Amino acid sequence: MPSVRLITIAVSHFCEKARWALDRANVDYVERRYLPLAHVLPVWLAGGGHMVPLLLDGKKSIPDSTAILKHIDNRLPEDRRLFPSDPAARTAVEELEESFDSQLGPATRRWAYFHLLPEKTVTMPVLRRAAGPLGRALLPVFFPLVRRLIRAGYRIHPGAGASSFRRIQTAFQRVDSLLADGRTYLAGDHFSAADLTFAALSVPVLFPDEGGASMPAVGDLPSEMARAVDAFRRTPAGAFALRIYREHRRSTPP
């Protein structure tokens, strides 16, 4: 049994960010995936408060996706690290990574929930795939409660879709401007935490084929959302994130 465990919400793009880093570093780990809200007790018992992803590495309990990336980086040789050791290069990577974490990630999550929560026929199969036998049995009963609590917790009100959409556009336009000079990666000449974070946190608006996040198929999305996903994919930033997934992310079975 591996000594490294990752506690996640299966549909969380922040959890996909941590999962990607572990897979990239070839860490032998066990992932425990939970439905939203069902994760609270296991995370609390493991000493992580209420945050996911939570990495348990021996006696260390590491909450927060960025902290997990930095912890994993310590296992890697310099040329494989997501955070370079050069101070100026590291600052550039960290600034972008933090911006995506604080702005893009919450916006893509709210935007996706805004469109998907009313679509029970789309969301239920995704949640079923993420649940264990007991969760699958109880999900039809508790789904209305889960949906209400998600809406309350992430402040998903009638204007949330439009405001989150504008934040996503702002983040994508920033990446568009960075890519305009022909660079291959967002910060420096090598794949970094900035690239991984942007791609992972864009999953709810791009739906890449690769990766380990539990997401609906693009063909199952409501029409308005599907049109927006197609438009995001056609931007330079969207094409960049999809390329990063193709080139740097190996698929992980759910």
Side-chain angles (χ1 to χ4, degrees), residues 24-187:
R24 177 179 176 273
N26 294 317
V27 175
D28 186 18
Y29 71 101
V30 171
E31 182 178 355
R32 301 299 185 204
R33 295 185 172 195
Y34 293 92
L35 296 173
L37 302 181
H39 75 284
V40 173
L41 181 59
V43 170
W44 181 77
L45 290 174
H50 63 281
M51 292 183 63
V52 288
L54 174 66
L55 185 69
L56 304 173
D57 189 355
K59 295 183 178 180
K60 292 183 177 179
S61 178
I62 305 157
D64 180 72
S65 60
T66 300
I68 292 171
L69 262 61
K70 291 182 176 180
H71 175 75
I72 297 166
D73 241 26
N74 293 330
R75 298 171 178 256
L76 299 176
E78 174 63 29
D79 63 346
R80 289 271 295 153
R81 290 185 177 178
L82 294 169
F83 294 91
S85 58
D86 175 76
R90 186 180 183 94
T91 296
V93 168
E94 288 182 331
E95 191 278 327
L96 283 170
E97 195 264 354
E98 169 57 28
S99 173
F100 299 144
D101 256 19
S102 61
Q103 301 297 320
L104 178 65
T108 56
R109 177 173 56 202
R110 290 180 79 207
W111 184 80
Y113 274 137
F114 175 83
H115 285 283
L116 292 175
L117 284 178
E119 305 292 334
K120 185 177 179 179
T121 58
V122 178
T123 55
M124 283 286 283
V126 173
L127 294 176
R128 283 197 189 99
R129 290 197 298 269
L134 179 60
R136 285 193 292 271
L138 295 177
L139 187 59
V141 176
F142 286 101
F143 179 76
L145 174 62
V146 170
R147 182 162 54 185
R148 286 198 299 271
L149 291 174
I150 289 174
R151 281 174 171 156
Y154 294 129
R155 305 188 306 281
I156 301 173
H157 49 76
S163 61
S164 298
F165 187 80
R166 289 192 295 270
R167 286 180 178 241
I168 298 166
Q169 285 182 312
T170 298
F172 269 52
Q173 287 165 0
R174 182 183 184 187
V175 171
D176 287 348
S177 66
L178 290 172
L179 297 172
D181 61 8
R183 66 182 67 188
T184 304
Y185 299 107
L186 296 181

Side-chain angles (χ1 to χ4, degrees), residues 4 55 77 138 180 194 209 228 240 254:
V4 180
L55 185 69
L138 295 177
D209 294 329
F240 168 80

Side-chain angles (χ1 to χ4, degrees), residues 204-227:
V205 299
L206 296 176
F207 296 86
D209 294 329
E210 303 80 6
S214 180
M215 288 285 170
V218 174
D220 294 334
L221 300 177
S223 57
E224 181 183 351
M225 187 181 190
R227 287 193 296 271

